[in-house]
Amino acid sequence: MNDWPEGWSDDNRSGNRYGQGSASDRPESARRMPHVQRPVPQQPAPPQRRPAPSRPPQVPQQSGGYDDAEYDSGYNTGQVYGGGNGGRGGPPGGGPGDGGYVQGRPSAAPDWRRRIKIGALALVVVVLAVSVGTYFWADSKLKRDVDLSKVIERPDGGDGTNYLIVGSDSREGMTAEDKKKLHTGSAEGKRTDSMMILHDGSNGPTLVSLPRDSNVEIPSFVGSESGKKFPGTGRTTKLNAAYAEDGPELLVRTVEFNTGLHIDHYVEIGFGGFAQIVDAIGGVELDIPKAFKDKNSGADFQAGKQTLNGEQSLAFVRTRYAFAASDLDRTKNQQKFLAALANQTATPSTILNPFKLYPTMGAGLDTLVVDKDMSLWDLGNMFFAMKGVTGGDGKSMNMPISGSTGGNLVWDKTKVKQLVEQLNNDEKVTVSSN
């Protein structure tokens, strides 16, 4: 008996007729179904920064005799499934911060020009902040103890700026060991050890030393503490006695009265501060032309180029008994040293090195005494004018001397008048000390 359906036989089974659309009136058990090409849906735009859902399972490659070109698996290989990568096939987990990647285009290169501008701006802000902070810090440390408004009957001011620079023998803040080390003695109070007028003008700076033993007249003045007016009596004495009698205000009054030169600013520094500044910058190099020794100041120097520390520097500028011209030779050494100190301090190695700049400024500002109208800017101008004294347009000299009274040095009035006129008119100084 035939088990095949009606109309079928074993011949049908062995033939190669399955799926070929036989015209026989017998049914096909495996007729091939025609393939209908479905339209490809429009691919949507990649979503913007959507959270990344789990990726769908990979669709396996279909096989088994079907034509791949005609086969439609139902999956769209161009479909975007979200995620930080935007369907790019890149590593998962993208999203915000993925460099602004656009499909089909690599990430943009870093904008170095913009980064450099931002970095430069940040650097400028930091430098300005540090500079402003340093300025106010230093300005707050100045001791503005001298009131020049108490000085009476002052001469008219001329062109340029005149500073009265005073080195006092003040031992304020010094221990007994410091006094012994620096050979300062233990005298009470303070006196002037050196006095100089620094004129800063358009024709270069001029530094004029005023010997402490100069014979001067003490004029009428108002007491700095009492406010009482003391009339002038024609009394003459050494210049440093004016400071000892009533301090900086009377010293300024006496200098102005005897010279006719208006003093714009007053600056004073004591023994201890002077030595600290020198040590803070690492010493001052000097070329000493001739060896000398002085037990009073502690000086003991050989001839030649050498670097002086704070203790040695103080001994160098204080020595006078070792020289034939005594105080006049000492003032020359003081000028030489101060110019060298200014030159070696105003260098990039000091100004740009905070480990040297701040100790130097701290040492100097802690011991400086200035007038009430003195700003840090004025002090800086004075410092650079001092540095310029040794330059081509600078000049240093002693107040012209015509003789002595036996103990006091007498100024040459004719030369002093000519010198003051040239300074007031801001002219090139042609007057000599001799």
Side-chain angles (χ1 to χ4, degrees):
M1 183 176 180
N2 189 351
D3 293 330
W4 292 95
E6 183 180 359
W8 286 79
S9 66
D10 290 339
D11 295 334
N12 299 109
R13 183 174 53 143
S14 60
N16 190 14
R17 299 175 57 84
Y18 295 131
Q20 297 190 9
S22 171
S24 172
D25 58 350
R26 289 177 297 174
E28 288 184 17
S29 61
R31 181 183 298 272
R32 178 174 177 175
M33 299 300 293
H35 178 75
V36 179
Q37 181 72 32
R38 285 183 290 178
V40 178
Q42 183 68 31
Q43 180 177 343
Q48 297 297 318
R49 305 185 181 277
R50 292 174 52 194
S54 59
R55 295 173 63 88
Q58 184 68 34
V59 179
Q61 176 102 20
Q62 296 295 324
S63 60
Y66 293 103
D67 188 347
D68 291 341
E70 297 179 354
Y71 175 77
D72 182 7
S73 66
Y75 290 96
N76 187 347
T77 57
Q79 178 67 40
V80 177
Y81 294 102
N85 294 330
R88 302 188 299 268
D98 62 359
Y101 183 95
V102 178
Q103 185 171 0
R105 189 172 68 194
S107 298
D111 189 347
W112 289 108
R113 184 175 299 178
R114 181 171 178 271
R115 293 186 182 185
I116 291 173
K117 287 182 179 179
I118 294 175
L121 180 60
L123 179 62
V124 169
V125 171
V126 170
V127 170
L128 286 176
V130 172
S131 300
V132 171
T134 298
Y135 181 90
F136 284 104
W137 165 77
D139 189 73
S140 67
K141 294 177 76 66
L142 287 176
K143 298 178 181 179
R144 297 180 172 90
D145 296 340
V146 180
D147 189 357
L148 295 183
S149 67
K150 295 180 180 180
V151 180
I152 63 173
E153 303 173 16
R154 309 190 69 185
D156 294 333
D159 295 330
T161 304
N162 299 315
Y163 302 87
L164 181 59
I165 303 173
V166 175
S168 76
D169 64 359
S170 171
R171 298 155 179 83
E172 183 179 354
M174 296 175 63
T175 64
E177 183 179 351
D178 292 334
K179 295 175 184 177
K180 182 178 180 180
K181 177 182 178 182
L182 299 176
H183 301 272
T184 64
S186 300
E188 296 298 326
K190 59 181 182 179
R191 288 150 293 277
T192 53
D193 210 56
S194 61
M195 291 158 284
M196 303 177 185
I197 295 174
L198 175 64
H199 174 81
D200 184 22
S202 59
N203 278 295
T206 301
L207 185 63
V208 183
S209 288
L210 310 175
R212 56 181 284 177
D213 294 337
S214 297
N215 193 65
V216 295
E217 180 181 341
I218 302 296
S220 59
F221 68 96
V222 173
S224 59
E225 297 294 336
S226 65
K228 179 182 177 180
K229 185 172 182 177
F230 297 87
T233 61
R235 173 171 60 99
T236 60
T237 185
K238 292 182 178 182
L239 180 58
N240 66 340
Y243 181 96
E245 187 173 331
D246 198 50
E249 289 84 1
L250 180 54
L251 178 62
V252 171
R253 167 72 174 133
T254 303
V255 169
E256 289 187 339
F257 178 81
N258 286 269
T259 63
L261 193 66
H262 181 88
I263 300 300
D264 297 293
H265 292 294
Y266 177 91
V267 181
E268 176 187 327
I269 188 168
F271 283 164
F274 182 83
Q276 289 173 18
I277 292 175
V278 174
D279 285 336
I281 66 169
V284 174
E285 186 179 76
L286 276 183
D287 190 0
I288 301 176
K290 185 178 179 180
F292 65 90
K293 189 174 183 178
D294 179 21
K295 66 178 182 179
N296 293 290
S297 65
D300 186 3
F301 297 103
Q302 301 299 315
K305 187 175 291 186
Q306 50 205 286
T307 299
L308 279 56
N309 60 24
E311 177 185 348
Q312 294 169 324
S313 299
L314 188 58
F316 180 83
V317 299
R318 293 184 61 217
T319 299
R320 62 172 176 162
Y321 295 110
F323 308 124
S326 187
D327 205 34
L328 292 178
D329 282 341
R330 177 170 72 164
T331 56
K332 293 178 181 178
N333 279 345
Q334 290 171 347
Q335 292 172 352
K336 179 179 181 179
F337 182 86
L338 289 178
L341 175 63
N343 269 305
Q344 294 173 41
T345 302
T347 60
S349 62
T350 298
I351 296 175
L352 300 179
N353 183 355
F355 298 102
K356 185 178 285 188
L357 175 63
Y358 285 98
T360 302
M361 293 179 66
L365 297 173
D366 280 340
T367 56
L368 281 180
V369 177
V370 300
D371 64 89
K372 292 185 180 298
D373 295 326
M374 185 83 158
S375 68
L376 193 62
W377 182 263
D378 295 322
L379 188 63
N381 286 337
M382 184 203 79
F383 184 80
F384 281 99
M386 181 72 74
K387 179 182 179 181
V389 167
T390 56
D393 295 329
K395 182 180 179 67
S396 60
M397 59 182 291
N398 280 323
M399 187 64 80
I401 304 297
S402 62
S404 71
T405 62
N408 299 350
L409 297 173
V410 179
W411 292 354
D412 186 324
K413 293 183 178 181
T414 302
K415 286 187 174 183
V416 170
K417 183 179 179 180
Q418 184 182 0
L419 172 64
V420 171
E421 286 180 353
Q422 291 177 343
L423 294 178
N424 274 332
N425 296 328
D426 203 15
E427 299 172 351
K428 191 75 173 178
V429 174
T430 59
V431 179
S432 65
S433 302
N434 300 325

